[in-house]
């Protein structure tokens, strides 16, 4: 897979040219976002992972196969940030989802072990109202017993209040699962976009 890091930008102004479809990875801090991006891109270290939450602070753009951008956004809901920072993040997500000058689709990441938090629900509402295509990626499923997984997936879907048509990808970066399914959703959307051009 051909992947190039393009740029880091603190806000929308720094988004790269040319305009191509963007696939954003968004989720709670420490939900396994950077790990899933690395798994998805089949790279071990292109997105920085850490045991400490709050590592990603910018919009990071990666160009994939010269066809689309993968966008790594800061994780939300990190307990140790100020109210100010929280408001800034919400503003950033709102502007990012509100921008209509580029085709955008979103992977909303949720840690499969936990019931979605208040921030997860809040972000999902923004996403559902944005009109952009989105999918849910449940992360770290290797940490949930196989007999418990369906129950956890249902709890995520119900708590977020998303419709049954929304694609749902169970993933684990540790055990390397979910990549093929995510890629095929990306491919289908890009093809639809290229055909409409
Ligand atoms: P921030 O950028 O700091 O908000 O975190 P993030 O959402 O990018 O999470 P990151 O990928 O850095 O992973 C956070 C922690 O979860 C790390 O200790 C990872 O090793 C662990 N982790 C991530 N994905 C998986 C997974 O699929 N399975 C397991 N067991 N652990 C995972
Ligand atoms: Mg990260």
């Amino acid at each position: 897979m051909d992947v190039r890091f393009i740029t880091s930008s603190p806000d929308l102004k720094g988004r790269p040219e040319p305009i191509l479809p963007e696939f954003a990875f968004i989720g709670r801090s420490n939900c396994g976002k950077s790990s899933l991006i690395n798994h998805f891109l089949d790279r071990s270290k292109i997105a920085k992972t850490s045991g400490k939450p709050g590592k990603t602070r910018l919009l990071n753009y990666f160009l994939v196969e010269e066809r689309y951008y993968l966008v790594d956004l800061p994780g939300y809901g990190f307990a140790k940030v100020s109210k100010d920072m929280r408001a800034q993040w919400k503003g950033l997500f709102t502007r990012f989802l509100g921008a209509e000058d580029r085709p955008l689709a979103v992977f909303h990441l949720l840690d499969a072990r936990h019931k979605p938090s208040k921030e997860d629900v809040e972000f999902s509402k923004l996403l559902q109202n944005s009109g952009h295509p989105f999918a849910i990626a449940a992360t770290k499923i290797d940490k949930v017993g196989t007999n418990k997984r369906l129950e956890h997936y249902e709890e995520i879907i119900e708590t977020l209040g998303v419709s049954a048509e929304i694609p749902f990808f169970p993933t684990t970066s540790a055990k390397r699962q979910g990549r093929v399914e995510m890629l095929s959703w990306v491919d289908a959307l890009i093809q639809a976009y290229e055909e409409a051009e």
Side-chain angles (χ1 to χ4, degrees):
M1 192 179 229
D2 178 52
V3 185
R4 264 191 303 142
F5 172 73
I6 301 294
T7 189
S8 281
S9 155
D11 213 315
L12 267 63
K13 285 190 286 287
R15 290 176 305 165
E17 300 282 344
I19 289 181
L20 291 170
E22 298 186 1
F23 290 84
F25 282 58
I26 308 182
R28 195 175 185 194
S29 186
N30 205 44
C31 70
K33 191 161 52 70
S34 299
S35 304
L36 187 61
I37 289 171
N38 289 330
H39 171 51
F40 177 87
L41 294 175
D42 201 18
R43 290 288 194 285
S44 58
K45 282 179 186 154
I46 203 153
K48 293 187 183 71
T49 60
S50 71
K52 278 188 206 151
K55 184 124 183 158
T56 311
R57 294 271 160 111
L58 303 159
L59 304 173
N60 295 310
Y61 278 82
F62 300 90
L63 179 63
V64 185
E65 306 284 16
E66 308 283 333
R67 276 176 99 206
Y68 62 92
Y69 296 110
L70 185 159
V71 194
D72 183 10
L73 278 90
Y76 55 80
F78 176 36
K80 287 198 188 114
V81 302
S82 63
K83 257 200 178 144
D84 252 25
M85 191 76 177
R86 228 175 269 271
Q88 264 183 42
W89 281 350
K90 185 159 187 207
L92 176 66
F93 293 135
T94 305
R95 287 191 301 282
F96 184 78
L97 294 177
E100 283 178 353
D101 55 339
R102 298 165 181 237
L104 169 67
V106 177
F107 285 105
H108 187 191
L109 276 47
L110 291 122
D111 190 325
R113 293 173 297 180
H114 311 300
K115 187 176 173 182
S117 69
K118 222 171 64 200
E119 286 94 350
D120 288 323
V121 174
E122 194 181 344
F123 177 72
S124 185
K125 291 275 173 307
L126 285 178
L127 194 51
Q128 292 176 55
N129 291 331
S130 75
H132 297 296
F134 71 95
I136 290 171
T139 60
K140 310 189 191 183
I141 64 161
D142 59 288
K143 291 280 200 184
V144 181
T146 35
N147 58 336
K148 286 271 175 201
R149 284 182 193 167
L150 270 184
E151 215 176 283
H152 284 220
Y153 302 160
E154 275 163 16
E155 184 176 54
I156 290 172
I157 291 165
E158 267 171 35
T159 311
L160 298 180
V162 295
S163 98
E165 283 109 77
I166 297 304
F168 189 99
F169 303 114
T171 73
T172 154
S173 319
K175 299 273 162 71
R176 308 189 55 76
Q177 288 169 24
R179 174 170 189 261
V180 174
E181 294 78 6
M182 291 169 75
L183 278 172
S184 96
W185 184 66
V186 165
D187 251 5
L189 283 176
I190 293 176
Q191 262 180 40
Y193 167 73
E194 286 174 351
E195 276 160 23
E197 275 293 90

